[in-house]
Amino acid sequence: MSAALQWLALGLCLMGTIWRIKATIQGRNPELFGAFGLATISVALSIPAIYLPIDNAFGADNYANLLLRICLFGVFFLLSGKIAAAFNSERSYRLIRGPLGIIVFAVSVVGVCVCFFLGNFDISSTGLRAYAHEEILLAYSAWGKLYLAYVSACLIPATLSAWLHSPNRLLKAAGALLSLGFALVFLTPLLELTLRSHSALATFTSFAAVVLVAAGLMTVWLSFLRRITKSNDPTKYTFS
Amino acid sequence: MSLSTITAVSRSLGRPVVDTLSAFPQYQGLSGGMQVPTDAELLSQIADMDLLAELQRRHESFNEADNLAREYSLNMEQRTLTAFPHSESVRLWLDAIDNGELRSKLAKDAAIAPQNLSAQISANRLSAELAIAAARIAGVGLANGLVVAGHLTPREAYWQDDARELALSRISTSCLASVAANRLEILSRTLRKSEDEQRSSRQLWEHLG
């Protein structure tokens, strides 16, 4: 079941990447192409059938897992700035793309790398599951989620306020899904740290977070595609 | 039984809808409370652009030398008004029959939250119960609210076919100008809101599309 979901997610990310090629060539939001590409790599590296051969090519020292973490940072870095701009939140944008955001990004990358090299992960294992009992893995995992949690925290006010206050139905719907998703991304590492293990609850919240954020973005994309095919804009006022 | 069911059955049987409704306890006294719509009610059901067109027509005719004759012919001219209810029918009708505190009284009598009432008005809807209650409070024809909220056709409430046209021909130009000014005010608010919404949609698509 879980494996089927992972392959499904991989397929969706790959489709997203291919979908963005044309727009990227036209110079429209190349960040989205990057985000989809990095997400594809991240999802692929969480599937054993892909992870193990790739990791072996890197020397079977689990560098592929480090790559996965960095790619995930990249996805959030690229997407979050776009979402902040899309929801017209200057403050969120500054917090994410400004000096503070860059510092948190850099610190997270360094933190993840340090934990990775402190831990002795020398047997190739997808998701580092073979090391689940080791304390250092918990730290590694927490550092790996710090940047995601930071970015999510920056985006919650903007998306939440769109959900609660925007008269625009599209913004309201996308804001609802995204703010709930980001709230879960923000809570997952806290949950993991307090429960001190990879509990089923944490697994569920991170899965739910991905689904919610993806659904929020899909809402925007579907409305965008419909806008092109349908000439009459639903938000347009018509004289009576 | 819901109002739409009763009206549908009544229509298919070819019976007067108001009479059929009056047989049901919740609509009792409806047929007895029928009144011809007031001019204010009728004007509220004329679309903004029709009012402006009328204003322009009168303006043009005033520039002509033989005022009286022109005006007379104007009154006799066949006006073709846009069908109603229009997109602000409920709000404008309530404003037209309001002699102070109508909305708060209505919400209180019907035991609903004022926000609930505002939401209905903003969506240009008004439940049959509220429409009748509002008419009762304001002392106008009980079925008139059912017409502007789209529950009944004007004919079913015995509105004359050219009632709005006649009301428009009766109104003085100064009154017409002031009604139109009020409409333009509302229109500009509506437009501003929809422009803001469009702008935020565009921004969303621009960055994520």
Side-chain angles (χ1 to χ4, degrees), chain A residues 172-190:
Chain A
K172 226 176 168 55
L177 293 164
L178 289 175
S179 59
L180 287 174
F182 289 132
L184 288 181
V185 177
F186 178 70
L187 287 175
T188 303
L190 297 178

Side-chain angles (χ1 to χ4, degrees), chain A residues 1-226:
Chain A
M1 180 60 192
S2 164
L5 277 178
Q6 283 177 317
W7 283 104
L8 179 69
L10 180 63
L12 289 174
C13 286
L14 205 58
M15 272 166 56
T17 314
I18 294 164
W19 169 52
R20 293 308 305 179
I21 289 175
K22 195 176 148 212
T24 305
I25 291 170
Q26 293 167 346
R28 204 152 42 78
N29 292 321
E31 291 94 337
L32 292 181
F33 174 74
F36 269 117
L38 292 174
T40 308
I41 298 173
S42 304
V43 174
L45 287 179
S46 61
I47 299 173
I50 299 173
Y51 181 84
L52 295 174
I54 288 182
D55 194 42
N56 273 325
F58 285 147
D61 287 330
N62 287 312
Y63 277 106
N65 191 274
L66 190 59
L67 176 67
L68 185 162
R69 303 278 171 180
I70 308 288
C71 284
L72 215 51
F73 287 172
V75 172
F76 269 73
F77 180 79
L78 292 174
L79 264 187
S80 58
K82 281 278 135 188
I83 293 173
F87 280 86
N88 197 22
S89 172
E90 223 188 296
R91 201 175 45 154
S92 302
Y93 190 84
R94 246 186 301 118
L95 284 171
I96 291 164
R97 291 285 166 92
L100 184 59
I102 305 293
I103 289 170
V104 178
F105 183 79
V107 168
S108 302
V109 172
V110 172
V112 168
C113 291
V114 167
C115 288
F116 182 80
F117 290 115
L118 283 179
N120 200 15
F121 306 133
D122 50 7
I123 301 164
S124 193
S125 162
T126 314
L128 298 180
R129 277 187 209 102
Y131 302 92
H133 53 279
E134 282 185 30
E135 197 77 342
I136 189 74
L137 185 72
L138 199 63
Y140 175 70
S141 165
W143 276 104
K145 277 163 185 150
L146 173 68
Y147 182 66
L148 316 190
Y150 170 77
V151 160
S152 301
C154 293
L155 289 173
I156 288 170
T159 47
L160 189 66
S161 118
W163 175 17
L164 299 181
H165 306 303
S166 177
N168 185 321
R169 275 172 24 219
L170 169 61
L171 246 75
K172 226 176 168 55
L177 293 164
L178 289 175
S179 59
L180 287 174
F182 289 132
L184 288 181
V185 177
F186 178 70
L187 287 175
T188 303
L190 297 178
L191 261 176
E192 273 182 17
L193 282 178
T194 42
L195 300 173
R196 315 242 355 122
S197 71
H198 288 283
S199 66
L201 183 63
T203 312
F204 172 76
T205 54
S206 38
F207 180 71
V210 171
V211 170
L212 284 167
V213 172
L217 293 173
M218 284 301 274
T219 309
V220 178
W221 290 324
L222 289 178
S223 75
F224 177 68
L225 296 175
R226 234 185 32 184

Side-chain angles (χ1 to χ4, degrees), chain A residues 20 28-29 32 82-83 85-88 167-168 170-171 217 220-221 223-224 227 233 235 237 239-240, chain B residues 47-49 82 86-88 187 190-191 193-194 196-198 200-209:
Chain A
R20 293 308 305 179
R28 204 152 42 78
N29 292 321
L32 292 181
K82 281 278 135 188
I83 293 173
F87 280 86
N88 197 22
N168 185 321
L170 169 61
L171 246 75
L217 293 173
V220 178
W221 290 324
S223 75
F224 177 68
R227 181 204 68 143
D233 184 350
T235 61
Y237 177 85
F239 289 95
S240 56
Chain B
D48 304 344
M49 295 305 144
T82 321
H86 55 73
S87 64
E88 292 279 357
L187 179 61
T190 314
L191 285 172
K193 229 172 84 182
S194 85
D196 283 349
E197 284 190 27
Q198 269 179 289
S200 49
S201 282
R202 263 205 309 276
Q203 188 149 26
L204 208 59
W205 291 329
E206 190 186 308
H207 289 284
L208 292 174

